[in-house]
């Protein structure tokens, strides 16, 4: 007898995280996949997309009400705002509308997976306790990830579905048009520096150059996400998910420069969000000269996020051993991850 496919509803299907999760679900097999975003996307075998505004409860109810077969909701949607406090209302509203709609329509809902990050430890605010553990107390509110988790915990009480929460560090993955994409920012910054005949200078704070940091490969995160969503021992818990190695930019940056065949230069806090504002004509000229895929400059501009990451003049890592103790054993070599992602960007002709 053929086993019934699980049905994955992926909110944030065009994000750095959501796109890579869908790719993983497609490769894993056994899933029917529905992606949600405002822009929608092209359907292919086993995957379809619905364009929906998760901030609009009526749009959510109208478009998602008919989805009676969803078994797993993977939530990786995100609304960016100018301040940490402003993130709470829209991000909590999107999750709330979606979970309420699914509870009403999806009779066989088994799991809700929530994508979080190290903001639950106050990592975005300044020095925090490292390694951060899942049991560490949260910072003073407002913090949207914590509100989302509390909503899920309260909502799940007495229900047959379970939840899990994933806490990655900065995520490395290929995607375009996303506000938080470190790999694109480094690759485009390097390509432009080279075009201008400059060395690859670390554009962050001098004190950030020698601190310990870790990142999370988007593929590894996707594997951890489906593991946590389907492993009974992982139910109703949160997990730090990281590559499993630590690095310092003072070691990684010269390796990145070598990949791009460039001289390396030490730190200078450039403020990419300022110095890259006049670079659109340069980008367009590079697209032309190198025969690149025609990508609008705004779709490769994650400059405020890169400034943010390169400003961390404190150690930035969490203890990833809880997931490993419960059976998720994947690890990724971070240098190999960066170089593979840059290679993939070249293969797709996004950068020269
Ligand atoms: N990127 C990282 O390095 C990183 C690291 C740690 C944690 N995280 C966390 O992971 C989560 C996802 O991050 P991400 O970087 O993957 O986000 P992202 O690239 O900005 O993607 C957000 C997704 O949400 C969709 N979306 C936004 N507003 C929507 C709306 N009103 N209705 C429907 N869909 C909407 C977007 O598509 P449309 O624009 O087409 O609607 C997109 O698919 C966030 O909570 C973030 O804090 C990210």
């Amino acid at each position: 007898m053929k086993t019934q496919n699980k049905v994955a509803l992926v909110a944030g299907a065009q994000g750095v995280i959501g796109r890579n999760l869908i790719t993983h679900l497609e490769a894993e097999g056994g899933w029917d996949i529905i992606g949600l975003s405002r822009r929608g996307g092209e359907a292919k075998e086993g995957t379809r997309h619905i364009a929906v505004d998760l901030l609009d409860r009526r749009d959510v109810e109208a478009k998602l009400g008919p989805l009676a077969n969803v078994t797993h909701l993977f939530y990786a949607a995100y609304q960016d705002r100018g301040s940490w406090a402003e993130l709470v209302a829209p991000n909590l509203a999107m999750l709330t509308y979606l979970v309420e709609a699914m509870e009403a329509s999806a009779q066989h809902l088994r799991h809700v997976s929530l994508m979080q990050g190290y903001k639950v430890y106050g990592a975005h605010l300044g020095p925090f306790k490292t390694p951060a553990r899942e049991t560490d107390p949260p910072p003073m509110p407002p913090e949207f990830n914590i509100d989302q988790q509390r909503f899920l915990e309260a909502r799940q009480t007495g229900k047959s579905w379970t939840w899990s929460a994933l806490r990655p560090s900065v995520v490395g993955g290929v995607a375009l048009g996303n506000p938080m994409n470190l790999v694109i920012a480094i690759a485009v910054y390097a390509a432009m520096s080279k075009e201008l005949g400059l060395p690859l200078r670390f554009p962050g704070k001098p004190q950030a150059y020698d601190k310990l940091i870790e990142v999370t490969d988007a593929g590894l995160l996707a594997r951890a996400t489906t593991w946590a969503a389907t492993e009974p021992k992982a139910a109703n818990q949160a997990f730090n998910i990281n590559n499993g190695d630590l690095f310092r930019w003072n070691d990684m940056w010269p390796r990145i420069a070598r990949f791009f065949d460039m001289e390396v230069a030490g730190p200078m806090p450039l403020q990419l969000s300022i110095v890259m504002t006049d670079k659109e004509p340069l980008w367009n000229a590079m697209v032309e000269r190198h025969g690149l895929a025609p990508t609008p400059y705004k779709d490769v501009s994650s400059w405020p996020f890169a400034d943010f990451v390169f400003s961390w003049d404190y150690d930035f890592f969490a203890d990833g051993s809880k997931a490993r103790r419960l059976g998720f054993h994947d690890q990724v070599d971070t240098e190999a991850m960066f170089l593979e992602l840059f290679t993939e960007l070249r293969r797709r002709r996004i950068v020269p």
Side-chain angles (χ1 to χ4, degrees):
M1 197 179 76
K2 187 177 181 292
T3 19
Q4 193 84 19
N5 273 358
K6 300 180 285 265
V7 180
L9 186 66
V10 179
Q14 299 296 343
V16 182
I17 292 173
R19 267 173 204 254
N20 285 285
L21 176 59
I22 289 181
T23 303
H24 168 65
L25 291 167
E26 288 168 345
E28 193 176 66
W31 296 92
D32 292 331
I33 304 158
I34 306 162
L36 305 180
S37 61
R38 286 165 302 181
R39 75 192 89 160
E42 262 180 50
K44 59 172 156 165
E45 173 86 42
T47 303
R48 69 187 169 104
H49 289 264
I50 298 176
V52 58
D53 183 357
L54 295 174
L55 281 172
D56 180 343
R57 189 193 283 271
R58 276 193 290 190
D59 199 34
V60 173
E61 287 170 356
K63 291 184 180 152
L64 309 185
L67 302 182
N69 296 332
V70 171
T71 56
H72 292 73
L73 168 57
F74 294 100
Y75 186 88
Y78 175 69
Q79 273 278 314
D80 208 13
R81 289 290 188 277
S83 77
W84 306 125
E86 286 171 289
L87 289 172
V88 176
N91 285 293
L92 186 57
M94 292 199 296
L95 177 70
T96 304
Y97 300 160
L98 187 51
V99 170
E100 288 180 357
M102 279 304 103
E103 279 207 307
S105 61
Q107 300 307 312
H108 307 292
L109 185 66
R110 283 190 240 159
H111 194 81
V112 180
S113 163
L114 174 65
M115 193 53 61
Q116 301 185 310
Y118 290 3
K119 289 193 186 88
V120 294
Y121 304 120
H124 54 307
L125 303 172
F128 60 106
K129 195 210 90 183
T130 50
R133 292 208 162 82
E134 290 88 346
T135 46
D136 289 350
M140 169 83 79
E143 205 296 295
F144 79 92
N145 294 282
I146 298 285
D147 285 1
Q148 288 179 325
Q149 183 177 326
R150 292 213 167 117
F151 162 76
L152 269 193
E153 284 170 337
R155 190 90 199 178
Q156 185 271 338
T157 309
K159 305 284 172 53
S160 55
W161 54 271
T162 56
W163 63 271
S164 59
L166 294 308
R167 299 177 176 176
S169 182
V170 178
V171 174
V174 169
L176 291 173
N178 310 87
M180 297 184 287
N181 190 334
L182 183 66
V183 167
I184 275 278
I186 295 176
V188 173
Y189 169 71
M192 284 189 170
S193 299
K194 194 168 180 176
E195 195 77 6
L196 295 170
L198 298 170
L200 186 63
R201 181 174 294 287
F202 181 73
K205 285 191 189 168
Q207 304 87 335
Y209 204 47
D210 60 4
K211 294 298 179 291
L212 277 172
I213 180 171
E214 69 189 351
V215 295
T216 304
D217 173 69
L220 174 124
L221 178 59
R223 296 191 289 282
T225 302
T226 53
W227 166 78
T230 53
E231 165 56 59
K233 277 188 288 188
N236 301 332
Q237 296 182 62
F239 296 95
N240 296 331
I241 302 294
N242 46 51
N243 282 356
D245 58 2
L246 298 171
F247 69 94
R248 301 178 200 274
W249 287 115
N250 63 15
D251 183 44
M252 188 65 74
W253 201 253
R255 296 168 192 273
I256 293 175
R258 212 172 302 139
F259 174 86
F260 287 107
D261 202 13
M262 296 170 73
E263 295 291 317
V264 69
M268 180 184 284
L270 283 179
Q271 290 274 21
L272 296 176
S273 48
I274 295 173
V275 301
M276 298 312 252
T277 43
D278 69 349
K279 300 290 184 291
E280 186 165 358
L282 173 64
W283 173 252
N284 291 338
M286 286 168 61
V287 169
E288 186 78 21
R289 199 165 87 79
H290 297 284
L292 301 179
T295 313
Y297 186 53
K298 68 173 175 42
D299 285 354
V300 294
S301 298
S302 281
W303 307 124
F305 184 62
D307 282 338
F308 177 49
V309 173
F310 295 141
S311 75
W312 294 336
D313 51 3
Y314 46 89
D315 289 344
F316 196 98
F317 62 97
D319 175 6
S321 67
K322 180 182 171 191
R324 293 183 178 102
R325 277 194 302 280
L326 265 69
F328 181 74
H329 295 140
D330 277 21
Q331 307 221 16
V332 164
D333 175 319
T334 296
E335 180 187 355
M337 179 204 86
F338 274 121
L339 304 192
E340 275 164 28
L341 291 172
F342 296 145
T343 303
E344 178 62 15
L345 289 174
R346 273 189 176 159
R347 195 189 65 76
R348 295 190 195 188
R349 302 298 302 149
I350 307 290
V351 294

